[in-house]
Structure formats: C-alpha cells, structure tokens
Amino acid sequence: MKPLHAGFAALCLLIMTVLVVAGGRALNPGADAEPQSESGIVFDTEINDVFPEAEPEDTAPEPSEAVPQSSLPSRPIEPDVIAPPPLEPSELERLPPREPLSELSLAVPPKPKPDAEWKGATLFRPLATGAGRIKAQGRTVTVAGIDPVAPDETCTDSGRQWPCGTRATTAFRTFLRGRAVVCDIPENDSEGDFTARCRLARQDIGEWLVENGWARARQDGPYAQAAEKARKGRKGIYGHAPDLSGLPPAPAQGSGAPAAPDSIIELPGPPELVPATPPDGLPAPSR
C-alpha cells in the first residue's frame, strides 16, 4: 500500500505544477520573452508601471490680495476715559480703611480663661445644701461675692408667695450634678467652713447663680452687672411664681397618715356565720 500512496502523491504534485504554469501564462501572455527563474515565477523589472512617478507640484504660494489701507491717520478715541491720566507719585494719598458694614463681620473676642490664682482644692462629688453653699469631703464652702438664698426663703409675686429658696437649691443641684468643682481654698485643710470663689470647669459658679437669679450679688462683689441682667430678665427669685395648677394639692401640715385598718376585708359578721358564695360566672362544683 505504501508504493501506491507515494505514486498518487507524485501524480497530484505534477498536476498542480502544470496548472500553476498554465495559469501564469494565461495571465501574462508575454511571459516567454521575460526572464524566468528556475521555479517559473516571472519577475517584473518595470517598477514605474506599478508605482508611477509623482508629478512635481508647484509649491510657490499664490499672491495674496492686497488689503486696501485707509489714507486717513489713526486717532485716539476718548483718551480720558480709556487710558488713566498721568499721575505723580507725590500726589497720591493713602486713606484709612473704611468702617465695616456690619458688626457680624468682626472677629468674636476669645472667652476669658480662668485666672491662674484659682488653682485651689478640687472637691469631688459636691452636695448643694443651698443655693451657693457646697459641702464635700468634710468642707463647707460658701461662694464668695454673693448672698445665698436660704432653702426656706419665700418670695412674693403679685400677692402670691412661692418657695423660691427651695427652687433655687434644686436649680443649683441640677447645675452641679455631682461634678467636681475647684474652690480657692487651701488644699491642706481637711475640714472647716470657707468662703471662696469656685468654678465648675471654666464657669464661675457665683456668676452663674447671680445671672440666673438664684442668688443676690454683694454690693462690693464682682457680680453687680450679672444681677442687673437677672432683674431685667425677671429670672429666678425676680421672676413670676411657678404655675402649679396642674399638680395635686399638697397635704395639710400636721395631719398624719390615715390609720391602717385591722383587716383589708370587712366582714359583716363572724366568719363562721357567713356562707361562702362562689364568684359569679364560675361553674358549680362537681359532687
């Protein structure tokens, strides 16, 4: 079988060679006069037939049309408006800046920091025994520069009396909330009564009490301006009596609690004489 296959392949190669040569002569009839290579491929030596030479172009620019020029001379238009007039440096004068259009554009002044002399003793978990009185760690401190409002003091508003001292103490306790305060007292003294300035963080406690109307300012103290602001705003003890119309009436003073009964079940007679009756809606007991 192998010699048969080899002969068939040689025959196919011979047929393909004949077809290629016949096709080449059909496409180029003058191929006999042209030189051929050993493989029968025709080489065309005339390159200009395929790539013709480009004709030279005239690169000279065309003459542009002459722009007619006006015979009238140019002149400046409104020189005083368009061009600034010449000025001498000696004639210039520097003016001060104008006032701001509004105070809102001004920078806000920084908040005053606590004085360095306030570095006193720190009192932890203070208890307000009154508006302006603090008790902590065996020390009782009265805020300086104020006249504290007593807890049992009453104020009058349009003929009505109300417990302004109790409300002042409650407001001061709410302000402290058990936070540590710094008072200008000696740190070595463990116990005693003191009168000193105190602060909570950066807030002056005396100023807060007077400004909100929960204490009176001393005449020789630093809180006279804060007291005037509280009077004009009718705050604290200078304000109106609280409206207690929605609260239940307070119990009368001196009346004790009602006596408790001997038994919570009041029986009409001896227990042995009262028949036991089942509640309504329950089925009768089975026999």
Side-chain angles (χ1 to χ4, degrees):
M1 297 296 293
K2 292 184 179 179
L4 181 61
H5 291 170
F8 180 74
L11 180 61
C12 292
L13 181 61
L14 180 61
I15 294 174
M16 291 179 62
T17 303
V18 174
L19 293 177
V20 170
V21 172
R25 291 182 178 180
L27 294 176
N28 190 4
D32 295 340
E34 299 294 336
Q36 297 182 359
S37 64
E38 296 179 358
S39 60
I41 301 176
V42 179
F43 295 94
D44 191 359
T45 57
E46 297 293 335
I47 302 177
N48 294 335
D49 296 340
V50 182
F51 302 99
E53 295 182 0
E55 298 180 359
E57 297 181 357
D58 190 2
T59 57
E62 297 182 359
S64 58
E65 298 181 359
V67 179
Q69 298 182 358
S70 176
S71 59
L72 298 178
S74 59
R75 61 183 180 85
I77 301 175
E78 297 292 342
D80 296 337
V81 178
I82 298 178
L87 296 176
E88 293 293 335
S90 59
E91 298 178 359
L92 300 178
E93 181 182 359
R94 183 179 296 276
L95 298 177
R98 61 174 178 80
E99 296 294 332
L101 300 178
S102 174
E103 296 182 357
L104 298 177
S105 61
L106 301 178
V108 179
K111 294 183 178 180
K113 297 183 179 180
D115 301 337
E117 63 214 23
W118 278 35
K119 294 181 180 180
T122 302
L123 305 180
F124 298 97
R125 302 181 64 182
L127 174 63
T129 58
R133 290 190 175 92
I134 302 173
K135 186 175 182 181
Q137 302 170 210
R139 307 173 186 178
T140 302
V141 181
T142 302
V143 180
I146 66 171
D147 287 331
V149 178
D152 57 349
E153 183 176 344
T154 58
C155 298
T156 305
D157 175 35
S158 301
R160 294 175 53 194
Q161 290 188 349
W162 59 285
C164 57
T166 303
R167 292 183 62 85
T169 304
T170 303
F172 188 42
R173 288 177 179 174
T174 305
F175 170 72
L176 291 179
R177 295 200 304 273
R179 296 177 291 177
V181 299
V182 179
C183 296
D184 189 12
I185 60 177
E187 298 185 4
N188 298 330
D189 296 340
S190 58
E191 295 181 358
D193 297 342
F194 304 91
T195 300
R197 298 174 61 188
C198 299
R199 62 181 174 88
L200 177 61
R202 294 186 177 183
Q203 177 66 55
D204 188 344
I205 295 179
E207 182 181 4
W208 183 88
L209 287 168
V210 175
E211 189 175 5
N212 289 273
W214 299 124
R216 299 178 180 88
R218 288 183 176 272
Q219 295 181 357
D220 56 346
Y223 308 126
Q225 186 176 359
E228 186 65 22
K229 186 185 298 184
R231 291 191 190 94
K232 291 182 179 179
R234 297 186 64 84
K235 297 181 179 179
I237 60 177
Y238 307 107
H240 300 285
D243 186 10
L244 305 178
S245 58
L247 299 179
Q253 296 182 358
S255 61
D262 297 337
S263 175
I264 60 174
I265 303 177
E266 296 182 359
L267 301 177
E272 62 273 11
L273 301 179
V274 179
T277 57
D280 296 338
L282 294 180
S286 59
R287 294 182 180 178

